[in-house]
Amino acid sequence: MRLTLRGSVILLCGFAWNCVSANPGDQPNILIILADDLGWNDVGYHGGPIETPNIDRIAREGIELDRFYVQPSCSPTRVALMTGKVPMRLGIYRPLNKHSELSLPLDEQILPEYFADLGYQRFMVGKWHLGHHTRAMLPNQRGFEHFYGSLTGGIGYWNKVHGGGYDWQRNGETVRDEGYATHLLVDEIRTLIEARDKRRPTFMYAAFQAPHLPNEAPEETIAKYAKRLAGHENPVRHRHAAMVDELDQAIGKVLDIYSKQNMLHNTVVLFMSDNGGLVPPGLPEEQNLVQKIGFKAGKWFGRPVPNFPIPGLEFLASNVYDAGSDNTPLPGGKMLVSEGGVRVPAAIWWPGRLEGRQHSQQMTITDVLPTLLDAAGANAVVPDDLDGYSQISALQGGTSKRADFAVSGLTAGLAMYRWPWKISGTETPQLFNILEDPLEKNNLAAANPELIAILQTRMNTWGFAADPGIPFMELLFDPDHFGGKEDRAPWSEVVQ
């Protein structure tokens, strides 16, 4: 269903507390800040050792979303964010690789298009990762007036290379901007906000690449954590921590830009990670197939894998040995359906309206679209076929309808939440009361066969699209290296 404001102006103005004809100053600005692979214990307000005063500020002055759930990998979470739908319904189960012809389906109305109907100017900076095979898949064709950043997965922070191709552009044109990617995004945000049309509210989607691999940061910040975390058993942690620190500094600068432009007081700021952190080897997370192969590649051949005819082995090994995140105390991490892969740091802040407390009810990535539209006064145009609901009432201390939520891991199949229950696995299902047992230690499946049957029926009748699978041989022989040598045309120049 694609219900747009263009066909529903009378409906919107009759039932919502704002409409496009209202004073634009009454509509809140929207600022989404998305981190990439940020771990549960990578933020200061969870007690971690990395300094994140600006992220902590959003959680402290706003509402800390203590039970915020996403997909365990990047593209699926971004699909859910843009559509309000569980991504498996749309055929997206895992990250899109550089050669994939898949995308966020073109017939879906997505978040910036809704805000276009509401009169917002729409900007995006950072990582897209929702398809780049054809021009129709790109951000500028999906509702954004301006896009600056990368189309694919992880890039080198200094050289902007992904899988051999340069990946840095502005509105479809390759730009060879020198500098650290996190810093460049802040500069672009400053330019956009200072030059904005002040007669219209602003929707800004800042999808930072950090702290996704590769582990690259300014040397002075790395040195800070080499000293601060001296003796840490995983020295990769120093570089990862530096990347998180740089991300936090960037977020602080963005908040300052909004404050100086007299916008922050009427801006809904939503911060979150796209999935749990990528964790180092030696933990149970090696049940993940990629991590198993990568662990063996690094163990058998050394790091980097020397002169081996399958370059993907080094790529897989990197995803194990270069992992520096921390999801303590949650089990698991990126690519897994366990809590460390899907429960992430998140907070929402709307000065004067959403602030000053912790929200302990479940909220999911599919709730974001209806929640933000509700905040903008456009709840009347939210389609009825979404998997999420507006959580504005719950965030203000009331109650709200809660939806089932499903996640898809790389090798563990599907898991589903019907709060507070979580079921995972198929042949031998596991069942947890995740509210009472957030570390997933007490499998209650044997004692609840009827509930297992109900939840499995729901999973089987949800209507998920076919899983297209992984082009594994392509991954092995032409992997999605993060950074590295540039050996082909820029990605913005091979779009069909």
Side-chain angles (χ1 to χ4, degrees), residues 185-243:
L185 298 183
V186 174
D187 293 341
E188 192 78 2
I189 291 172
R190 180 179 292 106
T191 297
L192 290 169
I193 292 301
E194 290 179 351
R196 76 191 186 284
D197 181 353
K198 296 181 180 179
R199 298 168 298 177
R200 301 164 61 201
T202 299
F203 172 81
M204 174 72 73
Y205 175 35
F208 285 92
Q209 286 85 1
H212 192 288
L213 292 177
N215 294 312
E216 297 176 347
E219 288 300 324
E220 59 270 21
T221 315
I222 296 172
K224 170 184 175 179
Y225 284 94
K227 181 178 180 179
R228 184 179 178 88
L229 302 179
H232 195 284
E233 62 182 12
N234 179 15
V236 172
R237 179 74 170 159
H238 304 163
R239 290 181 174 271
H240 176 85
M243 296 165 70

Side-chain angles (χ1 to χ4, degrees), residues 22 117 199 235 294 345 450 458:
D117 289 338
R199 298 168 298 177
E450 293 183 359
R458 167 59 169 148

Side-chain angles (χ1 to χ4, degrees), residues 154-168 175-181 184 214 216 481-486:
I155 61 167
Y157 289 81
W158 300 105
N159 69 6
K160 324 299 189 302
V161 172
H162 172 91
Y166 185 82
D167 190 9
W168 202 250
V175 287
R176 297 275 177 176
D177 288 346
E178 295 184 0
Y180 188 62
L184 293 174
E216 297 176 347
H481 283 302
F482 311 135
K485 182 180 178 182
E486 184 178 352

Side-chain angles (χ1 to χ4, degrees), residues 262-334:
N262 195 30
M263 297 171 65
L264 190 57
H265 72 283
N266 191 31
T267 296
V268 180
V269 181
L270 174 63
F271 168 81
M272 58 191 166
S273 179
D274 66 341
N275 46 253
L278 186 66
V279 293
L283 299 174
E285 288 76 22
E286 287 162 22
Q287 62 186 288
N288 181 309
L289 178 62
V290 168
Q291 290 182 313
K292 280 184 177 180
I293 297 174
F295 181 79
K296 291 179 178 179
K299 183 177 181 181
W300 292 343
F301 302 110
R303 290 289 323 283
V305 177
N307 301 319
F308 203 74
I310 304 178
L313 288 180
E314 169 56 26
F315 171 74
L316 294 174
S318 176
N319 276 273
V320 176
Y321 286 91
D322 294 336
S325 194
D326 182 1
N327 296 316
T328 305
L330 302 179
K334 180 179 179 179

Side-chain angles (χ1 to χ4, degrees), residues 40 63-69 343 346 357-364 391 394-398 402 419-420 434-436 438:
W40 182 259
I63 296 177
E64 177 188 342
L65 303 175
D66 186 53
R67 297 277 184 166
F68 191 82
Y69 284 86
R343 182 182 172 190
R357 66 186 187 88
Q358 184 184 82
H359 181 65
S360 58
Q361 298 181 45
Q362 186 191 39
M363 181 172 174
T364 78
Q391 299 298 319
L395 292 170
Q396 293 174 333
R402 184 180 293 120
W419 200 253
I434 215 67
L435 186 60
E436 298 177 356

